[in-house]
Amino acid sequence: MKILLLADVTSAHTQKWVEALDATENIELGLFTLTQPVAEGYTFRLKKTSIFSGLSFAETGLFLGNLLPKVQYLKVIPYLTQVIKTFKPDVLHAHYATSYGLLGALSRKHPFMISVWGSDIYDFPHEGFLNKYIIKYNLSRADLIGSTSKVMKKETERYAPNKPIFVTPFGIDSRVFYPKKAA
């Protein structure tokens, strides 16, 4: 299976996802990012992941405030379309429902999954009418939505009431690991 992640390579969460999937036997992974890896050694730890980058906010003039960059993501769509045609992923998976979610939604590639991370659901939609529209649009284009908690799933349902949302928790399973009762 081929998966193309849309995510910020400088995020520790993205790096953990990439490293885990890179080590999975039957997955060929691609990572589309708008940033360059910070640690030079990071890409050398990966055995089979293709990283598609070269476009940073500074290079493309995308960083102009809060909402305007989302509109200017349109400049990146031709490059993403080219990457999708070349890499030919079976699944497109955006991490973060606003920025990379918008890129995925505009690419029109299916199946398309969005993983919400927190501020994209809790803060972004409350910053104005257009932000709320963007988040609803992005989630409406997704075939599947992932959340890392039940409470965030509930918040996401406000913007995507008829979409399947799966909880993929991270952290410690408290049903397995719990403090022993004092004797």
Side-chain angles (χ1 to χ4, degrees), residues 2-9 11 13-14 17-18 21 29-34 70 73 77 80 84 89-118 120-121 134-135 137-148 152 156 164-166 168:
K2 291 177 93 171
I3 300 172
L4 181 60
L5 296 181
L6 308 178
D8 181 354
V9 71
S11 164
H13 298 299
T14 298
W17 270 86
V18 170
L21 291 172
L29 185 66
L31 172 63
F32 182 91
T33 181
L34 296 175
K70 308 294 184 250
Y73 277 17
I77 294 301
L80 175 58
I84 290 170
D90 297 305
V91 176
L92 187 65
H93 184 180
H95 286 259
Y96 211 73
T98 56
S99 52
Y100 289 99
L102 180 59
L103 289 176
L106 293 173
S107 78
R108 300 184 181 270
K109 168 72 176 146
H110 292 278
F112 172 49
M113 178 178 179
I114 293 178
S115 286
V116 296
W117 281 25
D120 51 347
I121 288 299
I134 289 171
I135 204 75
Y137 172 78
N138 294 352
L139 294 172
S140 76
R141 302 288 301 157
D143 300 298
L144 181 66
I145 301 168
S147 170
T148 54
M152 191 161 43
T156 305
I165 303 172
F166 291 87
T168 53

Side-chain angles (χ1 to χ4, degrees), residues 15 29 47 55 63-64 73-74 78 83 96 104-105 117 121 129 139 145 149 155 166 168 176 181:
Q15 292 174 10
L29 185 66
K47 294 178 175 68
L55 298 174
F63 188 73
L64 299 172
Y73 277 17
L74 297 171
V83 168
Y96 211 73
W117 281 25
I121 288 299
F129 147 75
L139 294 172
I145 301 168
S149 71
E155 183 70 15
F166 291 87
T168 53
V176 177
K181 292 185 180 181

